[in-house]
Amino acid sequence: MLRTDYHTHTPLCLHAEGSPQEFVAAALQQGLHTYGIADHAPMPPHMEPYDNWRMKSAELEAYAQWVEDARTAAQGTPLKVLCGFECDWTPELSPWVKHLRARADYLIGSVHYIPGRGSVDDSLYANKPLTGSVESDWQQYWQAVEALVRSGLFDIVGHVDLVKIWGRIPAGDLMPYYEPVLTALEHSGMAVELNTAGWYKHCAEQYPAQAFLAQLLLRRIPIVINSDAHRPAHLSRDWERGVELLHRLSPQGIKQFEHRTAHGTPLLAYGSV
């Protein structure tokens, strides 16, 4: 199977490191077919400053140059370099996301923020006492993910169950949280990433959980395996482990196929045979 990674970052997000040349060298060493650059997208200028882990809107041209430098470094090799963004989403951001889409080959849509609770992957959130309950946080989070999918603005859902990162998981059956998102995905044409970075977080589990992955395979929703790399050494990390997991969850086997984005850009994805 051809190896790809569509979720990687650059130093412009302020918490990653490495040059375009170093990332390309790592991609070639890993034997990647496609290296997708999808750093945290800036917020619209009128919303800045927003947080301290994304590029500023004034740095969009610097980002374009970073991608171009990576493409130059990959010239003469089999490596394909794509330009994307990892975008946060709320309804008021729709015009801005459409603006970013015009500059990219594909877009990853991710939910990081719960209203009134901050970014769920921030240690500040982990240390905040619950104002309601784990269930209320999960309800708000999954409602936001469903709205993201139904917006039709994105090509890949990023770390779809990020809300579990600190081990705060409701007791009992989680399918009531998953089901509306899975139903929306069935009609969306979007792919969902198996994000291997979760194995190195507090939750010690890939995003999404096995039960969610099994449903993606059952419903034939495309899956891409991404590393969420913030440095060259993490590029395509645990890709083989991800493939093995998908095989284990789909007894009939998995296949790799071409999945086209809303832009028509081909992405290689996985699904049940």
Side-chain angles (χ1 to χ4, degrees):
M1 291 187 176
L2 296 173
R3 190 171 183 139
T4 62
D5 195 345
Y6 301 110
H7 190 165
T8 70
H9 293 272
T10 81
L12 288 169
C13 72
L14 304 176
H15 61 289
E17 59 187 52
S19 68
Q21 296 78 15
E22 288 170 330
F23 271 95
V24 167
L28 292 170
Q29 185 178 29
Q30 291 278 4
L32 255 65
H33 172 274
T34 307
Y35 162 43
I37 305 161
D39 209 355
H40 293 288
M43 289 297 185
H46 72 274
M47 292 178 65
E48 294 178 327
Y50 194 80
D51 51 35
N52 63 353
W53 46 269
R54 69 183 66 244
M55 72 183 85
K56 305 296 187 294
S57 58
E59 295 176 307
L60 280 169
E61 293 308 320
Y63 183 62
Q65 186 60 56
W66 205 97
V67 173
E68 190 56 37
D69 289 346
R71 287 175 170 157
T72 298
Q75 281 181 358
T77 77
L79 181 65
K80 185 177 182 180
V81 179
L82 296 180
C83 176
F85 289 99
E86 182 186 8
C87 304
D88 284 80
W89 182 85
T90 55
E92 64 269 22
L93 287 174
S94 294
W96 180 245
V97 172
K98 291 174 183 176
H99 167 72
L100 293 174
R101 172 171 284 289
R103 305 178 66 110
D105 297 308
Y106 66 97
L107 296 180
I108 298 175
S110 297
V111 173
H112 293 94
Y113 285 90
I114 295 177
R117 300 287 287 147
S119 174
V120 298
D121 64 344
D122 193 313
S123 58
L124 292 175
Y125 169 79
N127 295 322
K128 276 183 183 178
L130 289 169
T131 54
S133 65
V134 173
E135 289 79 8
S136 65
D137 276 10
W138 270 59
Q139 191 66 37
Q140 287 190 84
Y141 177 85
W142 285 99
Q143 285 174 349
V145 175
E146 181 189 359
L148 181 156
V149 173
R150 293 194 183 280
S151 76
L153 294 173
F154 305 99
D155 304 301
I156 301 171
V157 186
H159 42 60
V160 67
D161 58 352
L162 180 68
V163 68
K164 73 183 179 190
I165 186 171
W166 302 107
R168 290 177 168 176
I169 300 173
D173 184 12
L174 299 179
M175 278 304 295
Y177 299 102
Y178 297 162
E179 185 60 42
V181 173
L182 288 164
T183 300
L185 283 166
E186 286 183 288
H187 301 95
S188 71
M190 292 178 67
V192 177
E193 69 173 11
L194 190 173
N195 185 315
T196 65
W199 281 315
Y200 301 90
K201 303 297 184 180
H202 186 83
C203 60
E205 181 181 62
Q206 77 290 329
Y207 309 111
Q210 290 192 26
F212 195 98
L213 279 172
Q215 286 295 316
L216 296 177
L217 290 164
L218 181 66
R219 301 175 193 222
R220 299 188 181 277
I221 296 166
I223 298 168
V224 293
I225 300 174
N226 290 335
S227 69
D228 207 341
H230 285 70
R231 53 184 53 85
H234 293 169
L235 191 64
S236 193
R237 182 168 57 169
D238 289 317
W239 178 84
E240 297 91 346
R241 185 177 174 185
V243 171
E244 180 187 359
L245 175 58
L246 293 180
H247 273 293
R248 200 163 5 107
L249 293 174
S250 181
Q252 69 270 38
I254 60 168
K255 62 181 177 180
Q256 192 174 46
F257 59 94
E258 190 175 277
H259 174 68
R260 293 204 168 252
T261 69
H263 255 356
T265 304
L267 305 179
L268 292 175
Y270 297 92
S272 292
V273 170

